[in-house]
Amino acid sequence: MNIKTVDLRSDTITLPSKEMRAAMARAEVGDDVYGEDPTVNLLESEAAALVGKEAALFVSSGTMGNLIAILTHTSRGDAVLLDPEAHIFYYEAGGASLIGGVQLWPVTNLHSYEGIDNLKKALRPPDQHFAPAALLCLENTHNRNGGTILKPEEQDKYYEIACKAKIPLHLDGARIFNAALALNCPVTDLTRSCDSIMFCLSKGLGAPVGSILAGSSSFIERARRYRKVLGGGMRQAGILAAAGLIALKNIPYLSEDHRRARILAEGITSRTIFRVTPSPPPTNMVIINTEPLSSAEFLSRLESYGVKSIAFGENRVRMVTHLDISDEGIDWALEAIERLSREVK
Ligand SMILES: *Cc1c(COP(=O)(O)O)cnc(C)c1O
Protein backbone atom coordinates (compact mmCIF):
# COMPACT_ATOMS: atom_id res chain seq x y z
CA MET A 1 0.00 0.00 0.00
CA ASN A 2 1.34 3.43 -0.75
CA ILE A 3 -0.86 5.57 1.45
CA LYS A 4 1.25 8.04 3.42
CA THR A 5 -1.14 9.16 6.10
CA VAL A 6 -4.59 8.09 7.19
CA ASP A 7 -6.26 10.89 9.09
CA LEU A 8 -8.84 9.55 11.53
CA ARG A 9 -8.86 12.56 13.87
CA SER A 10 -12.34 13.72 12.91
CA ASP A 11 -14.97 13.73 10.19
CA THR A 12 -14.47 17.51 10.03
CA ILE A 13 -11.29 17.10 7.99
CA THR A 14 -13.09 15.93 4.82
CA LEU A 15 -12.14 17.98 1.77
CA PRO A 16 -14.74 19.34 -0.68
CA SER A 17 -15.14 17.02 -3.67
CA LYS A 18 -14.71 18.10 -7.30
CA GLU A 19 -18.49 18.04 -7.68
CA MET A 20 -18.81 20.33 -4.67
CA ARG A 21 -16.24 22.79 -5.94
CA ALA A 22 -17.95 22.88 -9.34
CA ALA A 23 -21.33 23.53 -7.71
CA MET A 24 -19.79 26.31 -5.61
CA ALA A 25 -18.27 27.92 -8.71
CA ARG A 26 -21.56 28.06 -10.58
CA ALA A 27 -23.82 28.86 -7.60
CA GLU A 28 -26.40 31.57 -8.15
CA VAL A 29 -25.95 34.11 -5.36
CA GLY A 30 -27.42 37.27 -3.87
CA ASP A 31 -27.28 39.14 -0.56
CA ASP A 32 -28.49 36.65 2.02
CA VAL A 33 -28.93 39.30 4.73
CA TYR A 34 -31.66 40.71 2.46
CA GLY A 35 -32.96 37.15 2.00
CA GLU A 36 -31.95 37.34 -1.66
CA ASP A 37 -29.54 34.47 -2.07
CA PRO A 38 -31.46 31.79 -3.99
CA THR A 39 -28.97 29.04 -3.16
CA VAL A 40 -29.10 29.74 0.58
CA ASN A 41 -32.91 29.90 0.40
CA LEU A 42 -32.99 26.54 -1.39
CA LEU A 43 -30.65 24.93 1.13
CA GLU A 44 -32.69 26.29 4.05
CA SER A 45 -35.99 25.03 2.64
CA GLU A 46 -34.57 21.61 1.71
CA ALA A 47 -32.95 21.26 5.11
CA ALA A 48 -36.12 22.25 6.96
CA ALA A 49 -38.20 19.73 4.99
CA LEU A 50 -35.61 17.02 5.56
CA VAL A 51 -35.83 17.28 9.35
CA GLY A 52 -39.58 17.98 9.36
CA LYS A 53 -39.45 21.55 10.65
CA GLU A 54 -41.14 24.70 9.30
CA ALA A 55 -37.98 26.69 8.72
CA ALA A 56 -34.20 26.57 8.83
CA LEU A 57 -31.25 28.92 9.05
CA PHE A 58 -27.84 28.40 7.44
CA VAL A 59 -25.12 29.19 9.99
CA SER A 60 -21.34 29.16 9.85
CA SER A 61 -20.74 26.37 12.34
CA GLY A 62 -22.36 23.94 14.70
CA THR A 63 -21.12 25.98 17.62
CA MET A 64 -22.86 29.05 16.24
CA GLY A 65 -26.07 27.08 15.63
CA ASN A 66 -26.15 25.78 19.19
CA LEU A 67 -25.40 29.22 20.64
CA ILE A 68 -28.13 30.85 18.53
CA ALA A 69 -30.57 28.19 19.72
CA ILE A 70 -29.70 28.93 23.35
CA LEU A 71 -29.97 32.71 22.82
CA THR A 72 -33.35 32.27 21.12
CA HIS A 73 -34.83 29.91 23.70
CA THR A 74 -33.59 31.59 26.92
CA SER A 75 -33.07 34.85 28.81
CA ARG A 76 -30.07 35.94 30.87
CA GLY A 77 -29.93 34.18 34.21
CA ASP A 78 -31.79 31.11 33.02
CA ALA A 79 -30.41 27.60 33.46
CA VAL A 80 -29.79 25.27 30.52
CA LEU A 81 -29.83 21.57 31.43
CA LEU A 82 -27.42 19.31 29.59
CA ASP A 83 -25.03 16.40 29.95
CA PRO A 84 -21.58 17.35 31.35
CA GLU A 85 -20.04 15.49 28.40
CA ALA A 86 -22.21 17.38 25.90
CA HIS A 87 -20.40 19.25 23.16
CA ILE A 88 -22.13 22.49 24.22
CA PHE A 89 -20.75 22.10 27.74
CA TYR A 90 -17.35 20.64 26.93
CA TYR A 91 -16.21 22.11 23.63
CA GLU A 92 -18.02 25.37 22.91
CA ALA A 93 -15.71 27.73 24.78
CA GLY A 94 -18.32 28.67 27.38
CA GLY A 95 -20.11 30.76 24.76
CA ALA A 96 -23.55 30.20 26.25
CA SER A 97 -22.37 31.80 29.51
CA LEU A 98 -20.14 34.42 27.91
CA ILE A 99 -22.68 35.65 25.41
CA GLY A 100 -26.03 34.28 26.58
CA GLY A 101 -25.53 34.90 30.30
CA VAL A 102 -27.09 31.53 31.08
CA GLN A 103 -26.01 29.02 33.68
CA LEU A 104 -25.12 25.70 32.08
CA TRP A 105 -26.41 23.09 34.50
CA PRO A 106 -24.83 19.65 34.04
CA VAL A 107 -27.10 16.64 34.55
CA THR A 108 -24.91 13.58 35.10
CA ASN A 109 -25.38 10.71 32.64
CA LEU A 110 -28.29 12.55 31.07
CA HIS A 111 -28.26 10.22 28.07
CA SER A 112 -28.44 7.00 30.09
CA TYR A 113 -31.33 5.42 31.95
CA GLU A 114 -30.53 7.02 35.29
CA GLY A 115 -30.40 10.30 33.35
CA ILE A 116 -34.17 10.53 33.43
CA ASP A 117 -34.11 10.49 37.23
CA ASN A 118 -31.27 13.00 37.34
CA LEU A 119 -33.17 15.23 34.95
CA LYS A 120 -36.30 15.13 37.08
CA LYS A 121 -34.20 16.17 40.08
CA ALA A 122 -32.60 19.00 38.12
CA LEU A 123 -36.01 20.37 37.16
CA ARG A 124 -36.45 22.06 40.50
CA PRO A 125 -39.61 23.92 41.49
CA PRO A 126 -39.52 27.72 41.24
CA ASP A 127 -37.51 29.19 44.12
CA GLN A 128 -35.66 32.46 44.51
CA HIS A 129 -32.44 30.52 45.13
CA PHE A 130 -32.51 28.79 41.75
CA ALA A 131 -31.78 29.86 38.21
CA PRO A 132 -34.98 28.80 36.46
CA ALA A 133 -34.50 25.88 34.07
CA ALA A 134 -35.43 27.24 30.65
CA LEU A 135 -34.03 24.75 28.15
CA LEU A 136 -33.05 21.09 27.88
CA CYS A 137 -30.32 20.11 25.41
CA LEU A 138 -29.73 16.59 24.10
CA GLU A 139 -27.00 15.36 21.78
CA ASN A 140 -27.56 12.65 19.16
CA THR A 141 -25.22 11.04 18.28
CA HIS A 142 -23.27 11.68 21.45
CA ASN A 143 -19.72 12.59 20.51
CA ARG A 144 -17.86 12.11 23.81
CA ASN A 145 -19.75 8.90 24.52
CA GLY A 146 -18.30 7.45 21.32
CA GLY A 147 -20.98 8.28 18.78
CA THR A 148 -23.73 6.61 20.78
CA ILE A 149 -27.36 6.87 19.80
CA LEU A 150 -30.58 7.90 21.49
CA LYS A 151 -33.54 6.00 20.04
CA PRO A 152 -36.78 7.74 19.02
CA GLU A 153 -38.68 6.30 22.03
CA GLU A 154 -35.94 7.52 24.35
CA GLN A 155 -35.94 11.01 22.89
CA ASP A 156 -39.73 11.08 23.09
CA LYS A 157 -39.45 10.37 26.80
CA TYR A 158 -37.14 13.36 27.37
CA TYR A 159 -39.44 15.52 25.28
CA GLU A 160 -42.42 14.50 27.36
CA ILE A 161 -40.57 15.53 30.51
CA ALA A 162 -39.52 18.85 28.94
CA CYS A 163 -43.07 19.57 27.78
CA LYS A 164 -44.43 18.78 31.22
CA ALA A 165 -41.90 21.22 32.70
CA LYS A 166 -42.91 23.73 29.99
CA ILE A 167 -39.38 24.13 28.67
CA PRO A 168 -38.23 23.65 25.08
CA LEU A 169 -35.83 20.95 23.94
CA HIS A 170 -32.90 21.73 21.66
CA LEU A 171 -31.23 18.81 19.92
CA ASP A 172 -27.55 19.06 19.13
CA GLY A 173 -27.84 16.78 16.13
CA ALA A 174 -24.42 17.51 14.65
CA ARG A 175 -24.51 13.87 13.47
CA ILE A 176 -28.26 13.21 13.53
CA PHE A 177 -28.19 11.44 10.15
CA ASN A 178 -25.63 9.00 11.49
CA ALA A 179 -28.13 8.14 14.22
CA ALA A 180 -31.05 7.75 11.81
CA LEU A 181 -29.07 5.55 9.43
CA ALA A 182 -27.74 3.35 12.21
CA LEU A 183 -31.28 2.90 13.55
CA ASN A 184 -32.65 2.52 10.03
CA CYS A 185 -35.44 4.98 10.81
CA PRO A 186 -36.52 8.24 9.16
CA VAL A 187 -34.62 11.16 10.65
CA THR A 188 -37.97 12.77 11.47
CA ASP A 189 -38.52 10.04 14.10
CA LEU A 190 -35.64 11.72 15.92
CA THR A 191 -36.48 15.34 15.15
CA ARG A 192 -40.18 15.13 16.08
CA SER A 193 -39.25 15.26 19.74
CA CYS A 194 -37.44 18.60 19.77
CA ASP A 195 -38.27 22.28 19.32
CA SER A 196 -35.05 23.02 17.51
CA ILE A 197 -32.27 21.01 15.95
CA MET A 198 -28.79 21.83 14.75
CA PHE A 199 -27.01 19.53 12.33
CA CYS A 200 -23.60 19.87 10.67
CA LEU A 201 -22.95 19.91 6.94
CA SER A 202 -19.21 20.08 7.48
CA LYS A 203 -18.67 16.77 9.26
CA GLY A 204 -19.34 13.39 7.66
CA LEU A 205 -21.39 15.05 4.93
CA GLY A 206 -18.28 16.68 3.55
CA ALA A 207 -19.11 20.38 3.13
CA PRO A 208 -16.21 22.77 3.80
CA VAL A 209 -18.31 25.07 6.03
CA GLY A 210 -21.72 25.28 7.58
CA SER A 211 -24.48 23.96 9.77
CA ILE A 212 -28.26 24.14 9.82
CA LEU A 213 -30.50 25.29 12.65
CA ALA A 214 -34.13 24.28 12.17
CA GLY A 215 -37.37 24.85 14.08
CA SER A 216 -40.71 26.63 13.84
CA SER A 217 -41.01 29.69 11.58
CA SER A 218 -41.28 32.05 14.54
CA PHE A 219 -38.26 30.45 16.22
CA ILE A 220 -36.16 30.82 13.06
CA GLU A 221 -37.31 34.42 12.61
CA ARG A 222 -35.98 35.27 16.08
CA ALA A 223 -32.88 33.12 15.55
CA ARG A 224 -32.04 35.12 12.41
CA ARG A 225 -31.55 38.23 14.52
CA TYR A 226 -29.15 36.42 16.87
CA ARG A 227 -27.19 35.13 13.88
CA LYS A 228 -26.78 38.78 12.87
CA VAL A 229 -25.78 39.74 16.42
CA LEU A 230 -23.01 37.11 16.34
CA GLY A 231 -21.68 38.38 13.04
CA GLY A 232 -23.07 35.40 11.18
CA GLY A 233 -25.09 37.36 8.62
CA MET A 234 -23.15 36.38 5.51
CA ARG A 235 -23.73 38.03 2.16
CA GLN A 236 -23.23 35.94 -1.02
CA ALA A 237 -23.24 32.81 1.12
CA GLY A 238 -24.77 30.80 -1.72
CA ILE A 239 -21.23 29.78 -2.64
CA LEU A 240 -21.12 27.89 0.66
CA ALA A 241 -24.75 26.78 0.55
CA ALA A 242 -24.11 25.16 -2.85
CA ALA A 243 -21.63 22.86 -1.12
CA GLY A 244 -24.23 22.25 1.59
CA LEU A 245 -26.79 21.10 -1.00
CA ILE A 246 -24.30 18.53 -2.31
CA ALA A 247 -23.51 17.53 1.27
CA LEU A 248 -27.17 16.59 1.82
CA LYS A 249 -26.81 14.11 -1.05
CA ASN A 250 -24.01 12.43 0.88
CA ILE A 251 -26.32 11.35 3.71
CA PRO A 252 -26.69 7.72 2.52
CA TYR A 253 -22.90 7.29 2.37
CA LEU A 254 -22.64 7.71 6.14
CA SER A 255 -23.50 3.99 6.31
CA GLU A 256 -20.15 3.29 4.66
CA ASP A 257 -18.44 5.17 7.49
CA HIS A 258 -20.32 2.98 9.98
CA ARG A 259 -19.31 -0.20 8.14
CA ARG A 260 -15.67 0.89 8.11
CA ALA A 261 -15.77 1.84 11.81
CA ARG A 262 -16.99 -1.70 12.58
CA ILE A 263 -14.22 -3.28 10.50
CA LEU A 264 -11.66 -1.09 12.26
CA ALA A 265 -13.04 -2.01 15.69
CA GLU A 266 -13.21 -5.73 14.91
CA GLY A 267 -9.63 -5.66 13.63
CA ILE A 268 -8.36 -3.89 16.73
CA THR A 269 -10.19 -6.35 18.99
CA SER A 270 -9.01 -9.48 17.20
CA ARG A 271 -5.49 -8.44 16.17
CA THR A 272 -4.18 -6.18 18.95
CA ILE A 273 -3.91 -5.89 22.71
CA PHE A 274 -6.04 -2.72 22.69
CA ARG A 275 -9.74 -2.65 23.55
CA VAL A 276 -12.62 -0.82 21.94
CA THR A 277 -15.66 0.54 23.84
CA PRO A 278 -18.44 0.71 22.97
CA SER A 279 -18.09 -2.38 20.82
CA PRO A 280 -19.28 -2.70 18.14
CA PRO A 281 -19.10 1.04 17.52
CA PRO A 282 -22.66 2.36 17.12
CA THR A 283 -21.82 4.86 14.35
CA ASN A 284 -18.61 6.31 12.87
CA MET A 285 -16.45 6.62 16.00
CA VAL A 286 -14.08 4.06 17.44
CA ILE A 287 -12.92 4.69 21.00
CA ILE A 288 -9.78 2.76 21.89
CA ASN A 289 -8.47 1.99 25.34
CA THR A 290 -4.73 2.49 24.87
CA GLU A 291 -3.53 0.74 28.04
CA PRO A 292 -0.77 -0.01 28.89
CA LEU A 293 0.18 3.07 26.86
CA SER A 294 -0.96 6.58 27.67
CA SER A 295 -3.06 8.15 24.94
CA ALA A 296 -0.24 10.64 24.25
CA GLU A 297 2.27 7.87 23.62
CA PHE A 298 -0.20 5.85 21.55
CA LEU A 299 -0.93 8.90 19.38
CA SER A 300 2.65 9.90 18.72
CA ARG A 301 3.86 6.36 17.96
CA LEU A 302 0.91 5.67 15.69
CA GLU A 303 1.41 8.96 13.91
CA SER A 304 4.99 7.96 13.12
CA TYR A 305 3.43 4.96 11.29
CA GLY A 306 1.18 7.29 9.32
CA VAL A 307 -2.07 7.18 11.28
CA LYS A 308 -3.56 10.23 12.96
CA SER A 309 -6.16 10.14 15.74
CA ILE A 310 -6.95 12.27 18.80
CA ALA A 311 -6.84 11.86 22.57
CA PHE A 312 -10.15 11.46 24.36
CA GLY A 313 -8.75 11.13 27.87
CA GLU A 314 -5.65 9.76 29.66
CA ASN A 315 -6.00 6.29 28.13
CA ARG A 316 -8.60 6.89 25.47
CA VAL A 317 -8.14 7.69 21.81
CA ARG A 318 -10.84 8.45 19.25
CA MET A 319 -10.76 7.41 15.59
CA VAL A 320 -13.46 8.67 13.24
CA THR A 321 -14.27 7.24 9.82
CA HIS A 322 -15.42 9.65 7.11
CA LEU A 323 -15.87 10.27 3.38
CA ASP A 324 -12.14 10.53 2.72
CA ILE A 325 -11.30 7.18 4.35
CA SER A 326 -11.31 4.16 2.03
CA ASP A 327 -11.23 0.43 2.80
CA GLU A 328 -7.52 0.61 2.01
CA GLY A 329 -7.12 3.36 4.58
CA ILE A 330 -8.71 1.14 7.22
CA ASP A 331 -6.32 -1.71 6.32
CA TRP A 332 -3.39 0.69 6.60
CA ALA A 333 -4.58 1.92 10.00
CA LEU A 334 -5.06 -1.64 11.26
CA GLU A 335 -1.58 -2.66 10.16
CA ALA A 336 -0.13 0.32 12.02
CA ILE A 337 -2.08 -0.43 15.21
CA GLU A 338 -1.09 -4.09 14.99
CA ARG A 339 2.57 -3.12 14.64
CA LEU A 340 2.31 -0.88 17.69
CA SER A 341 0.58 -3.65 19.63
CA ARG A 342 3.37 -6.16 18.79
CA GLU A 343 5.99 -3.72 20.03
CA VAL A 344 4.19 -3.10 23.31
CA LYS A 345 3.42 -6.73 24.13
C1 LIG B 1 -18.70 19.28 15.92
C2 LIG B 1 -19.82 19.35 16.85
C3 LIG B 1 -20.45 20.56 17.11
C4 LIG B 1 -19.94 21.90 16.62
O1 LIG B 1 -19.73 22.04 15.28
P1 LIG B 1 -18.60 23.04 14.73
O2 LIG B 1 -19.04 23.22 13.32
O3 LIG B 1 -17.31 22.32 14.87
O4 LIG B 1 -18.67 24.29 15.51
C5 LIG B 1 -21.55 20.55 17.96
N1 LIG B 1 -21.97 19.42 18.52
C6 LIG B 1 -21.39 18.24 18.30
C7 LIG B 1 -21.93 17.02 18.95
C8 LIG B 1 -20.28 18.16 17.47
O5 LIG B 1 -19.67 16.99 17.29
Side-chain angles (χ1 to χ4, degrees), residues 76-104:
R76 296 183 72 77
D78 283 344
V80 173
L81 312 185
L82 77 187
D83 189 274
E85 299 289 326
H87 197 278
I88 294 174
F89 190 69
Y90 205 96
Y91 288 125
E92 298 189 7
S97 311
L98 174 67
I99 296 160
V102 293
Q103 182 178 38
L104 293 179

Side-chain angles (χ1 to χ4, degrees), residues 252-274:
Y253 298 110
L254 295 172
S255 311
E256 286 292 284
D257 299 345
H258 298 176
R259 180 180 64 79
R260 292 194 176 103
R262 280 196 304 273
I263 293 171
L264 180 61
E266 278 161 21
I268 293 169
T269 305
S270 61
R271 288 160 55 181
T272 81
I273 60 166
F274 306 114

Side-chain angles (χ1 to χ4, degrees), residues 105-145:
W105 187 269
V107 180
T108 315
N109 290 326
L110 176 60
H111 292 72
S112 72
Y113 245 135
E114 69 175 291
I116 297 273
D117 274 344
N118 294 344
L119 174 60
K120 285 179 177 162
K121 280 181 210 145
L123 285 164
R124 301 178 295 177
D127 183 307
Q128 61 176 333
H129 296 88
F130 305 154
L135 177 65
L136 172 63
C137 294
L138 293 180
E139 187 174 310
N140 202 6
T141 64
H142 195 301
N143 187 339
R144 282 193 58 81
N145 274 357

Side-chain angles (χ1 to χ4, degrees), residues 61-63 66 87 92 139 143 172 174-175 198 200 203:
S61 68
T63 301
N66 283 334
H87 197 278
E92 298 189 7
E139 187 174 310
N143 187 339
D172 177 348
R175 297 184 182 80
M198 184 284 291
C200 291
K203 299 226 160 123

Side-chain angles (χ1 to χ4, degrees), residues 232-243:
M234 297 181 284
R235 301 296 179 172
Q236 285 73 35
I239 295 211
L240 299 172

